[in-house]
């Protein structure tokens, strides 16, 4: 688990965690040290690390670093309670990302069960550390499976076309995950398979994850790519420049409604109008079966400064003083606009009878 290249967003060794400060990309590659859950909370909230899978892993490992050297004198039950409370705190840093809450729940259940049999508080922390480290390893394998399933499915759906161009939004690559990526991973797989003609990426305003991060990854990997303004996507589709749109997800409801970076809904509507296939690529941990539809997804609002100032709020003022701001971080794309959902377990398609997703049955059959 080492620092293999500049695109590794999470650099972890037991007792040590460094996160690539993605706010400084693409002009500067710098890492920050994370020594406790509070550091992890701030890194997530301040967008040092972003992307639903990476957020969950960074949060889990931040707590793993904290407990690895903790002088704790309580009982195993108290150790489990300590871990559980810290995880609840970390979840509050990014409430829309279901991967984070899902990981927290699983880890809480794990330490709770361990507390029933272990006789030493340190053993509880060790169980937790092992599980957090496993998350890091598993994420890369899951991403490669998503990418393989997605590339093969796109080839089939597009009639085994020899040249495919796709549009993506926000950043869903190595910088948003433990490695390789989800939607951008599919693009990588298409490229390695020799059938990607070009990848188009949006700026993804106001924080510019597309122009700063996705473009950075595409150039780094020498993938033929073009950056467009968010507002140019419909014209791009009208001109027949892309055959598919591939995006990630922060939370997918049981019916397939998908919360993702603001602007995703716009792309889905444009894709539907122009007959362009629209795909969501995400691990099954992004699926929240407790929510029947996207109506129940809580949408986080970001600071007004991200619109009032340049560089996603970090630069000089560019908007008129006194103007009100509405700055939701995500929007919800209805399932009827989504062609299919690509996961590490396979591709979730719609039933021929009523054109709806049966995600619950898919997950049960994939276990």
């Amino acid at each position: 688990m080492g620092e293999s290249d500049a695109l590794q967003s999470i650099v972890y060794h037991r007792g040590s965690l460094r996160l690539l400060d993605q706010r400084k990309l693409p002009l500067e590659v710098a890492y920050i040290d994370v020594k406790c859950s509070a550091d992890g909370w701030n890194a997530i909230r301040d967008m040092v690390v972003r992307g639903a899978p990476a957020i969950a892993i960074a949060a889990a490992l931040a707590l793993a670093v904290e407990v690895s050297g903790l002088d704790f004198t309580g009982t195993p039950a108290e150790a489990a309670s300590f871990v559980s409370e810290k995880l609840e705190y970390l979840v509050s840093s990014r409430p829309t990302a279901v991967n984070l809450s899902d990981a927290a729940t699983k880890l809480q259940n794990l330490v709770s069960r361990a507390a029933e049999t272990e006789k030493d508080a340190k053993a509880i922390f060790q169980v937790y550390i092992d599980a957090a480290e496993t998350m890091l390893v598993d994420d890369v394998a899951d991403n490669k499976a998503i990418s393989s399933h997605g590339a093969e499915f796109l080839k089939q759906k597009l009639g085994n076309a020899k040249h495919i161009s796709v549009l993506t939004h926000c950043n869903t690559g190595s910088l948003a995950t433990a490695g390789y990526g989800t939607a951008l991973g599919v693009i990588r797989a298409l490229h390695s398979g020799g059938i990607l003609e070009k990848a188009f990426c949006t700026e993804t305003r106001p924080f510019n994850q597309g122009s700063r991060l996705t473009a950075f990854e595409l150039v780094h990997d020498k993938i033929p790519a073009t950056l467009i303004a968010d507002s140019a996507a419909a014209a791009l589709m009208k001109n027949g420049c892309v055959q598919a749109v591939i995006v990630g997800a922060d939370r997918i409801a049981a019916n397939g409604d998908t919360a993702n970076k603001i602007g995703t809904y716009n792309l889905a509507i444009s894709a539907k109008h122009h007959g362009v296939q629209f795909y969501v690529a995400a691990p099954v941990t992004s699926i929240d079966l407790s929510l029947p539809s996207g109506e129940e997804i809580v949408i986080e609002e970001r600071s007004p400064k991200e619109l009032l100032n340049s560089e996603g709020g970090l630069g000089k003022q560019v908007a008129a003083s006194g103007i009100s701001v509405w700055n939701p971080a995500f929007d919800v794309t209805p399932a009827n606009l989504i062609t299919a959902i690509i996961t590490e377990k396979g591709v979730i398609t719609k039933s021929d009878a009523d054109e709806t997703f049966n995600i619950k049955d898919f997950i049960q059959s994939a276990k």
Side-chain angles (χ1 to χ4, degrees):
M1 302 177 209
E3 190 170 349
S4 58
D5 60 52
L7 295 189
Q8 192 171 7
S9 61
I10 300 171
V11 179
Y12 175 80
H13 302 275
R14 183 163 292 187
S16 170
L17 174 63
R18 301 172 68 222
L19 299 177
L20 179 62
D21 191 344
Q22 299 187 29
R23 301 168 301 179
K24 297 182 177 180
L25 291 174
L27 302 180
E28 180 183 353
V29 176
Y31 287 82
I32 68 165
D33 292 320
V34 174
K35 299 179 179 179
C36 62
S37 53
D39 289 347
W41 193 98
N42 288 323
I44 294 167
R45 190 67 177 178
D46 294 342
M47 303 283 276
V48 170
V49 62
R50 20 74 45 215
I55 285 169
I57 295 165
L61 292 176
L63 181 53
V65 170
E66 180 174 347
V67 300
S68 66
L70 188 64
D71 184 14
F72 191 87
T73 58
T75 66
E78 289 169 337
S81 179
F82 175 88
V83 168
S84 183
E85 289 173 6
K86 291 287 186 178
L87 288 169
E88 288 293 337
Y89 163 68
L90 284 161
V91 167
S92 70
S93 65
R94 201 74 169 160
T96 305
V98 70
N99 305 61
L100 177 53
S101 59
D102 179 74
T105 299
K106 290 176 179 175
L107 291 167
Q108 286 169 329
N109 291 337
L110 179 68
V111 295
S112 178
R113 291 194 302 270
E116 296 174 0
T117 57
E118 297 291 350
K119 296 183 174 20
D120 181 22
K122 288 185 178 180
I124 303 301
F125 294 146
Q126 190 57 57
V127 166
Y128 174 83
I129 291 169
D130 291 343
E133 292 176 351
T134 298
M135 286 176 56
L136 179 62
V137 175
D138 288 349
D139 187 62
V140 176
D142 288 346
N143 291 340
K144 289 186 176 181
I146 289 169
S147 304
S148 176
H149 290 312
E152 185 60 34
F153 190 80
L154 257 70
K155 284 192 292 183
Q156 293 175 4
K157 286 288 286 185
L158 294 171
N160 290 311
K162 294 183 178 179
H163 300 289
I164 299 172
S165 290
V166 300
L167 171 65
T168 191
H169 187 57
C170 198
N171 175 257
T172 57
S174 298
L175 299 174
T177 64
Y180 207 74
T182 53
L184 193 51
V186 176
I187 291 173
R188 283 190 165 100
L190 290 170
H191 176 62
S192 64
I195 62 171
L196 179 73
E197 183 172 356
K198 182 175 286 189
F200 291 88
C201 61
T202 63
E203 295 174 286
T204 320
R205 298 181 66 84
F207 214 68
N208 300 312
Q209 293 98 324
S211 57
R212 291 189 302 106
L213 308 179
T214 298
F216 182 64
E217 291 201 46
L218 291 167
V219 170
H220 179 276
D221 285 6
K222 297 181 173 57
I223 296 174
T226 296
L227 174 68
I228 67 167
D230 290 359
S231 51
L236 185 78
M237 296 180 202
K238 182 180 180 182
N239 289 342
C241 296
V242 295
Q243 290 74 55
V245 179
I246 311 174
V247 301
D250 283 81
R251 190 178 293 250
I252 301 170
N255 70 339
D257 292 351
T258 297
N260 192 50
K261 183 56 56 186
I262 190 73
T264 302
Y265 183 30
N266 302 33
L267 294 178
I269 292 173
S270 293
K272 187 75 170 181
H273 178 75
H274 293 99
V276 174
Q277 296 175 19
F278 187 93
Y279 294 94
V280 172
V284 293
T285 52
S286 294
I287 298 170
D288 189 348
L289 293 178
S290 71
L291 302 181
S293 75
E295 294 294 323
E296 289 77 26
I297 297 177
V298 177
I299 300 299
E300 170 194 348
E301 288 195 33
R302 300 287 299 171
S303 167
K305 287 189 66 177
E306 292 182 355
L307 291 182
L308 297 174
N309 293 53
S310 64
E311 301 177 35
L314 302 176
K316 66 179 181 180
Q317 182 176 333
V318 294
S321 297
I323 188 68
S324 298
V325 171
W326 182 54
N327 186 25
F330 308 96
D331 55 29
V332 176
T333 297
N336 69 303
L337 299 179
I338 299 170
T339 305
I341 300 169
I342 305 163
T343 78
E344 74 275 23
K345 304 293 186 183
V347 180
I348 307 174
T349 57
K350 293 177 178 177
S351 66
D352 294 331
D354 56 6
E355 283 291 299
T356 60
F357 291 113
N358 192 335
I359 297 178
K360 185 176 180 180
D361 284 355
F362 174 88
I363 291 177
Q364 289 177 341
S365 63
K367 288 182 178 179

